[in-house]
Amino acid sequence: MNGMGLLKGLAITFKELWKKPVTLEYPEKKEKLPPRFHGSFTLYSEKCIACGLCQQACPNKVIKVGSIKDENNKRKLASYEMEMKYCLFCGLCVEACPTNALVFNQEYELAKYNVEDIKLTLFKKEQITTGEGSENV
Amino acid sequence: MGENLFVGMAKGLRTWLESNHFLPIVTDVFLMLLAVVGVLGFLFLNALFLIYYDRKFGAWVQARLGPNRVGPRGIFQTVADTLKLFAKEIFIPNNVDRWPYLLAPVLIFTIPVMLFLVIPFGKGMVPYDLNLGVLYLVAVTSVETIVLWMAGWSSNNKYSLLGAMRSVAQMLSYEMPVIFAMLSVVMMAGSMKLSDIVAAQQKVWFIFLQPVGFLIYFIAVNAEFKRTPFDLVEGESEIISGPYTEYSGMNFALFFLAEYTNFMIGAIMVTTLFLGGWNAPFGWTFIPSWLWFIIKMYFVITLYMWTRWTFLRIRIDQMLNFAWKFLLPVSLVNIFVTGVGLYLYRMIRW
Amino acid sequence: MLKTQEISINVGPQHPSTHGVFRIVLKLDGETIVDAEPVVGYLHRGIEKLAEDRTYTQVIPYTDRMDYLGAMSYNLGYVQAIEKLMGIEVPERAEFIRVIATELSRIASHHVFLASMCLDMGSYTGWMYPFRDRELVLELLEMLTGSRMTFSFMRIGGVADDLPEGFIEKTKQYLPKILEGVDEEEGLIAGNEIFIARTKGLATVSVEKALAWGWGGANLRASGYKFDLRKNRPYSVYDRFEFDIPTGANGDCWDRFYLRLAEIRQSVKIIEQALEMIPEGPIMAKVPKVIKPPVGEVYHEVEAPKGILGYYVVSDGSTKPYRMHVRRPSFINIGMLKELLIGTKLADFITIFASIDVVLGDVDC
């Protein structure tokens, strides 16, 4: 109790005074993210086989996979929607994907002005061909 | 040349006015008003800069960048903040005691302005050189308690009330050491006039003759102007914002600016009483006296900021104990030693 | 005599230093607390109930959300409980990765503790330095798991991913920096006379009392009781590392603060050893695609940053847990709060509350 601790504290802050800042001027400079970063999602729709495993793996029922059957009775992707407001970014869907069609990307600025914009539509077939196969959403 | 910049300007103006056959009273009033405007401008700009400097200093200590958006290196950050607060609605909560509530932010800013009346900024640069300058400083500073109490009581908020009670306890306790430390300086200088005190430090600054007094004063002034480690009145993590909790918009900005202006006055008082005021050290008179004054002031301000960004807040009972059980006895002993020393000194001389 | 009156003051749920949404109604006599009534539940999300409607794997992301500051221990406790129930042998490499990740997240959690306690006591700089160092830890965890706070990294039978390329080198490079930051914090805060005056002898908890209230972890060790699940009942591969169990002397706020500093040092020691010893091999055990534990129940405890974390899971043989209960250390810690507060000052409430190290997501679950 003689003030030495106070002086030591002052010495430490004085030393820190000359160190370089560790912060980043964010909107101008951005940090390099690791490849595993859990950002938003990218769907390689040509790889997707519309198996719906991601839909099942999701703990919060975020994902909605719509599929149609084509002429060879093969399932094809019709739509892929994610309710991002419920997403936990846990990565279970990415892990469940057997063809690596669904992956994380490096996008992290996900704030939106309108609530409707939060919904992420990764794939939407332009015109759903009628007659052949049924839509299953 | 720079030395007589302001004094010369005033003199020139006076001769010009007199040569144009204005009434002497008009000349006097005009020059006084000019001095007031000059002081107010200095005070306001300095407070704005101080807030910026404080934030920037904190950022440097903490390995951050600090404000860097508005203007070059963020220098206009506080200006932008103030403008923003200007534009905001002044929100008055239900059941506040309306008059004290609205009066407090106005009064809080008049106190520092009043204090500037007696401060010698440079050679011959005193707005009004009172005979009892030191007494005036002490008396006006302690009025701030009442204003804070007004704000805290009228806000109809328990946090504000707690903060106000803390401010009263704190100001009352630290007034004593402040006065006694000042008294030792007055004893050395033999006058209560601030310009005389500065003149007495022409050769040796009082910090070297009164090291204990300086330390006491340095700490007690810090407490009096409520800076960390003595920022209990605001105590953000405990009582939100103390007496300022319920204020918004420009009312809050006035409190905030007044806080920094007070802080500046603390630094000015340390400079004037212990660091030789506007006297140039080592006879370096090529730098004008008012610039020396500002340099010293900013040195003291930096010291205060350094402590602020290093220490943590002290508890209320410890704060009071520190004032009454440590600072006060030590300052009394210091006065006694000073008196004996002065007596002996005179005996040897004569 | 002057007439005096007690005032009751409502602190929280929105208050700068209630670490989230904790609320307490204090009765004050001047600045002295004469009565306190904590109110919890503002962050209740019903995670235990949510778990009943999720498959065993899907529960993992929810365990993160209890103590979001040291989430990895919560992952670990859950997956180990299920592994215990199913009798799964986890590959060694996975165990080492788990230990590294858990200790890293323990360091991050302790950093937040140090930082928030300093901030609550009025030191902005003491808050910034641990957060600066925590950034290093989070960078490592981000590299490993892809997330910074809610990792969902562990899986039943192993871990989600192997160590990424360059992880070991980067960790070795960062660990000395973390130690340096700990030394700095110790010099700046723990040795500071104001800090000592405010925390020494404040809210002293004896060993008996701490045990009676079920305290564990660093809070219990601060009272001087040498008990650490990592040493006393080793799980995972903790029995292979050499590390000390730091203990305090008085069980006051200062001890609780200092223990966290000491524990960061020990965690760094464990990580250093684990990085040296880590073997090659698979990172997942042979686990069936659909996890269906046998009918039964299991209780498993791990040493979380805030105390002893226990998972009690009942299985009815289906793919979803029949019931899950979590023994959350923060909830246990906060129980004693009222008793500690009475007779202290208002400013002490903040200090004591910070020193018992709770996170509200964990209290309310």
Side-chain angles (χ1 to χ4, degrees):
Chain A
M1 289 300 279
N2 47 13
M4 282 320 283
L6 299 178
L7 292 180
K8 195 176 172 194
L10 284 174
I12 286 170
T13 40
F14 188 73
K15 219 162 55 198
E16 285 289 334
L17 197 55
W18 311 107
K19 286 194 187 164
K20 262 176 106 157
V22 292
T23 46
L24 217 64
E25 281 162 286
Y26 158 61
E28 285 94 37
K29 292 179 203 155
K30 286 183 181 176
E31 204 174 352
K32 204 174 158 282
L33 295 166
R36 272 179 200 174
F37 183 73
H38 287 192
S40 189
F41 296 91
T42 304
L43 180 76
Y44 296 106
S45 50
E46 68 281 359
K47 281 196 211 164
C48 181
I49 52 170
C51 61
L53 278 179
C54 44
Q55 192 178 325
Q56 277 170 33
C58 181
N60 251 3
K61 302 191 172 66
V62 170
I63 304 171
K64 223 176 223 170
V65 185
S67 63
I68 47 166
K69 293 223 170 110
D70 67 357
E71 55 272 19
N72 307 327
N73 210 19
K74 232 178 119 194
R75 251 195 307 180
K76 272 181 83 182
L77 186 66
S79 67
Y80 199 102
E81 284 169 347
M82 292 175 96
E83 278 296 346
M84 291 302 276
K85 59 187 164 197
Y86 301 126
C87 184
L88 298 168
F89 296 94
C90 59
L92 288 176
C93 49
V94 173
E95 210 172 285
C97 188
T99 57
N100 283 336
L102 184 69
V103 290
F104 277 116
N105 59 24
Q106 308 265 309
E107 189 76 37
Y108 55 87
E109 289 155 323
L110 302 177
K112 296 279 167 16
Y113 276 102
N114 300 312
V115 120
E116 306 87 58
D117 298 342
I118 299 174
K119 193 168 185 175
L120 193 65
T121 309
L122 289 172
F123 186 77
K124 187 97 188 167
K125 208 159 176 109
E126 286 307 316
Q127 65 257 79
I128 296 161
T129 39
T130 45
E132 314 145 16
S134 59
E135 196 187 349
N136 168 29
V137 179
Chain B
M1 180 207 123
E3 176 58 60
N4 293 323
L5 187 59
F6 294 106
V7 181
M9 258 159 59
K11 221 174 240 164
L13 211 60
R14 180 176 282 273
T15 24
W16 184 77
L17 285 171
E18 274 164 359
S19 65
N20 280 297
H21 308 294
F22 278 97
L23 284 173
I25 176 101
V26 175
T27 317
D28 280 348
V29 166
F30 184 72
L31 279 169
M32 201 67 213
L33 269 177
L34 212 64
V36 167
V37 168
V39 165
L40 268 179
F42 171 75
L43 189 144
F44 216 75
L45 287 178
N46 238 322
L48 284 179
F49 177 71
L50 262 186
I51 297 172
Y52 165 76
Y53 181 47
D54 197 16
R55 290 177 64 182
K56 208 75 184 166
F57 191 88
W60 292 332
V61 165
Q62 297 168 351
R64 293 187 285 124
L65 284 165
N68 56 9
R69 294 278 136 182
V70 193
R73 291 178 170 264
I75 187 105
F76 298 127
Q77 182 65 51
T78 23
V79 180
D81 287 348
T82 318
L83 284 177
K84 179 208 133 199
L85 285 171
F86 252 126
K88 286 186 91 170
E89 183 192 355
I90 293 174
F91 185 83
I92 303 174
N94 277 343
N95 297 329
V96 298
D97 208 337
R98 215 180 160 84
W99 279 106
Y101 178 83
L102 290 176
L103 212 54
V106 180
L107 288 183
I108 194 105
F109 209 75
T110 53
I111 292 161
V113 176
M114 278 167 78
L115 284 176
F116 271 89
L117 185 67
V118 293
I119 307 275
F121 292 96
K123 201 180 268 175
M125 284 169 65
V126 194
Y128 193 83
D129 207 0
L130 270 179
N131 267 341
L132 293 170
V134 172
L135 191 67
Y136 176 82
L137 275 180
V138 172
V140 174
T141 326
S142 47
V143 175
E144 204 201 333
T145 323
I146 299 170
V147 180
L148 284 178
W149 178 255
M150 270 165 70
W153 178 259
S154 63
S155 285
N156 189 29
N157 181 322
K158 284 165 189 165
Y159 290 111
S160 303
L161 186 62
L162 275 173
M165 291 197 290
R166 280 181 178 190
S167 94
V168 173
Q170 187 169 337
M171 297 287 264
L172 283 181
S173 338
Y174 280 87
E175 207 94 283
M176 291 289 145
V178 163
I179 292 171
F180 281 122
M182 275 179 161
L183 201 58
S184 61
V185 170
V186 170
M187 281 163 78
M188 304 281 295
S191 168
M192 278 189 155
K193 207 172 176 173
L194 281 169
S195 53
D196 283 355
I197 291 176
V198 173
Q201 300 179 69
Q202 194 115 46
K203 290 207 179 67
V204 191
W205 295 356
F206 284 151
I207 182 173
F208 301 114
L209 300 173
Q210 284 285 347
V212 181
F214 170 73
L215 269 180
I216 293 168
Y217 193 75
F218 190 78
I219 295 167
V221 159
N222 200 7
E224 186 134 330
F225 293 122
K226 301 178 281 291
R227 306 269 305 167
T228 318
F230 301 101
D231 61 340
L232 293 104
V233 175
E234 233 189 295
E236 201 236 332
S237 57
E238 292 152 25
I239 50 170
I240 325 293
S241 210
Y244 322 143
T245 309
E246 291 290 351
Y247 284 94
S248 59
M250 206 52 213
N251 280 352
F252 176 74
L254 280 175
F255 274 114
F256 205 65
L257 283 175
E259 197 177 308
Y260 275 87
T261 320
N262 275 332
F263 171 43
M264 186 164 70
I265 286 169
I268 284 174
M269 268 145 78
V270 171
T271 311
T272 312
L273 295 176
F274 290 96
L275 296 181
W278 43 261
N279 280 317
F282 317 118
W284 289 354
T285 43
F286 56 89
I287 299 173
S289 60
W290 46 272
L291 203 58
W292 267 121
F293 181 79
I294 290 174
I295 291 170
K296 283 177 190 173
M297 183 181 101
Y298 268 90
F299 175 71
V300 177
I301 281 171
T302 311
L303 276 185
Y304 274 131
M305 281 180 183
W306 186 16
T307 51
R308 182 204 162 158
W309 292 106
T310 306
F311 296 149
L312 18 82
R313 195 178 305 121
I314 198 165
R315 205 168 61 203
I316 178 94
D317 54 329
Q318 289 160 352
M319 181 199 77
L320 298 180
N321 277 347
F322 185 66
W324 292 103
K325 292 186 182 166
F326 179 77
L327 283 184
L328 190 60
V330 171
S331 56
L332 282 172
V333 169
N334 185 42
I335 284 180
F336 178 73
V337 172
T338 312
V340 171
L342 277 175
Y343 190 71
L344 287 176
Y345 182 68
R346 272 181 207 147
M347 278 220 315
I348 297 161
R349 282 284 290 274
W350 295 333
Chain C
M1 261 311 264
L2 221 63
K3 187 174 166 281
T4 60
Q5 195 183 349
E6 286 167 5
I7 59 171
S8 67
I9 184 166
N10 179 42
V11 183
Q14 266 81 42
H15 184 274
S17 48
T18 49
H19 297 208
V21 283
F22 174 70
R23 175 175 166 225
I24 189 165
V25 184
L26 296 172
K27 207 161 252 167
L28 296 178
D29 178 13
E31 290 250 349
T32 315
I33 298 168
V34 288
D35 197 14
E37 194 54 60
V39 185
V40 296
Y42 286 88
L43 200 56
H44 178 69
R45 294 147 295 174
I47 287 177
E48 288 173 6
K49 190 73 192 166
L50 283 171
E52 292 171 20
D53 199 33
R54 304 285 187 275
T55 65
Y56 282 95
T57 314
Q58 283 175 351
V59 174
I60 295 171
Y62 287 91
T63 62
D64 286 330
R65 268 93 185 155
M66 278 186 261
D67 178 1
Y68 34 79
L69 301 175
M72 207 58 98
S73 299
Y74 283 67
N75 276 193
L76 181 72
Y78 174 72
V79 295
Q80 283 197 328
I82 306 300
E83 281 156 12
K84 211 173 177 180
L85 190 61
M86 295 174 72
I88 295 171
E89 198 68 39
V90 180
E92 218 161 65
R93 187 171 173 85
E95 293 278 27
F96 272 88
I97 295 174
R98 281 179 178 185
V99 166
I100 292 169
T102 311
E103 292 306 318
L104 279 176
S105 118
R106 188 189 310 278
I107 293 174
S109 171
H110 284 343
H111 272 144
V112 176
F113 168 85
L114 299 172
S116 58
M117 187 152 171
C118 291
L119 182 65
D120 288 354
M121 296 177 72
S123 170
Y124 285 88
T125 308
W127 166 55
M128 237 6 146
Y129 290 170
F131 261 79
R132 179 198 61 197
D133 299 335
R134 178 169 175 261
E135 193 56 38
L136 302 175
V137 181
L138 291 189
E139 208 175 295
L140 291 173
L141 283 168
E142 193 182 19
M143 196 176 170
L144 180 64
T145 70
S147 302
R148 289 162 61 85
M149 279 170 88
T150 48
F151 310 109
S152 318
F153 180 59
M154 305 212 180
R155 297 286 179 271
I156 294 159
V159 288
D161 267 311
D162 205 343
L163 294 182
E165 210 175 305
F167 179 80
I168 293 181
E169 292 73 38
K170 205 167 182 183
T171 313
K172 277 181 182 161
Q173 188 194 330
Y174 279 178
L175 288 180
K177 283 191 196 169
I178 292 165
L179 286 179
E180 211 175 287
V182 171
D183 290 339
E184 210 171 69
E185 189 74 359
E186 186 175 351
L188 183 68
I189 303 294
N192 188 313
E193 269 83 2
I194 299 173
F195 182 79
I196 293 172
R198 278 195 64 178
T199 51
K200 275 263 185 208
L202 179 66
T204 318
V205 179
S206 65
V207 176
E208 294 78 38
K209 200 168 156 191
L211 286 174
W213 280 89
W215 275 18
N219 283 348
L220 175 62
R221 292 193 284 277
S223 301
Y225 191 73
K226 209 169 181 149
F227 180 80
D228 190 325
L229 278 179
R230 288 174 292 174
K231 264 247 148 76
N232 293 50
R233 252 182 272 155
Y235 52 92
S236 198
V237 284
Y238 274 110
D239 46 352
R240 302 198 204 164
F241 304 116
E242 228 170 88
F243 61 99
D244 306 323
I245 307 174
T247 51
N250 309 314
D252 53 16
C253 289
W254 192 85
D255 276 334
R256 288 197 277 274
F257 181 84
Y258 192 74
L259 254 249
R260 265 65 179 209
L261 284 174
E263 287 212 343
I264 291 179
R265 295 203 177 101
Q266 297 306 322
S267 290
V268 168
K269 219 163 144 186
I270 294 174
I271 296 168
E272 272 170 355
Q273 291 173 48
L275 288 175
E276 291 301 325
M277 288 155 67
I278 187 162
E280 291 296 321
I283 54 159
M284 270 300 265
K286 291 257 175 296
V287 189
K289 259 247 144 55
V290 179
I291 290 166
K292 256 188 181 173
V295 180
E297 54 186 54
V298 69
Y299 182 69
H300 184 69
E301 277 180 340
V302 293
E303 180 84 20
K306 295 181 170 59
I308 295 168
L309 165 74
Y311 276 97
Y312 176 64
V313 184
V314 182
S315 159
D316 58 355
S318 69
T319 56
K320 294 170 180 173
Y322 176 74
R323 174 84 172 92
M324 182 173 95
H325 176 70
V326 192
R327 182 207 190 271
R328 286 113 49 204
S330 297
F331 184 67
I332 311 281
N333 288 348
I334 212 170
M336 212 200 285
L337 185 65
K338 183 180 175 180
E339 206 163 302
L340 293 176
L341 286 184
I342 289 172
T344 58
K345 298 273 182 293
L346 175 63
D348 289 337
F349 152 61
I350 312 288
T351 316
I352 294 168
F353 185 63
S355 83
I356 58 174
D357 195 9
V358 297
V359 54
L360 266 292
D362 198 22
V363 172
D364 298 338
C365 185

